[in-house]
Amino acid sequence: AQRTSIVDITSNGQVYPAYLAEPRTPGTHPAVILLHSFRGLQEGYRTFSRELAARGYVVLAVEWQTFSSQPDDAVITELIADSATFLRAKPNVIRDSIGLTGFCAGGRYTMLMLPQVPGIAAGFAWYGFPLNGEPAAIDLVEDLDVPLYIVHGSADVPSPIGDIYEYAQALDEADAYYELKVYQGEPLGYMVQGARKRQSTAARNAFN
């Protein structure tokens, strides 16, 4: 069982709404900052949040596009840091067990921000863009000192699987810990389609 609410995250003088899903069980829990795709905080991401809460996580899904559809990377860096500060202040959160996860653009932010935001314990990127931006995530592999988990589809056109392999090789050469799982024939965004959490075999397997 879980409870949900809408909360405000203040970052750089602006207030971002966020969907908060929490376990009803007593005690303290690990927490996750969830970053949606370019399509906004669709119902599929709210479903992810609730399902993760049912598994014992406090989940904060921040609407990072509130003020711009494509904010500067520095804005997202600060927003993630402020989201982590919000979670650490909650009495039901284990302060040193806050993770970062994201989808598509959120997956890129996960790869990119994990080496840059102190105090994030691990990252999980559901497909992303490791070669995009300046710097790109691939430029920061030497600074990554926490685990990163990546799932990707082999039929992803906007973010070709070759880019992911290049990123993985750079992580390997930097001795940064990662795990990569590739789903044959899956496109970009295969976890959420039609705004809802997909129930395909690949999507269920990736989530579990």
Side-chain angles (χ1 to χ4, degrees), residues 35-38 64 69-77 80 100-116 123-140 148-152 156 158-159 164 167 188:
L35 303 175
H36 58 73
S37 74
F38 274 130
W64 56 265
S69 61
Q70 293 183 290
D72 290 342
D73 289 343
V75 171
I76 302 299
T77 305
I80 292 170
L100 179 63
T101 191
F103 303 76
C104 187
R108 173 182 174 264
Y109 289 140
T110 299
M111 298 171 186
L112 183 65
M113 304 309 174
L114 203 57
Q116 299 188 68
F124 197 116
W126 306 81
Y127 34 88
F129 302 85
L131 309 188
N132 289 18
E134 293 182 8
I138 196 170
D139 300 321
L140 303 177
L148 172 61
Y149 305 89
I150 307 165
V151 293
H152 210 81
D156 190 325
S159 180
I164 296 295
Y167 178 54
L188 179 72

Side-chain angles (χ1 to χ4, degrees), residues 2-7 19-22 24 46 49-50 53:
Q2 66 277 345
R3 62 179 181 270
T4 62
S5 59
I6 304 298
V7 298
Y19 184 76
L20 180 66
E22 306 175 83
R24 292 187 181 275
R46 296 172 187 261
S49 300
R50 292 191 297 271

Side-chain angles (χ1 to χ4, degrees), residues 7-19:
V7 298
D8 291 333
I9 305 299
T10 301
S11 184
N12 197 29
Q14 296 180 306
V15 179
Y16 294 77
Y19 184 76

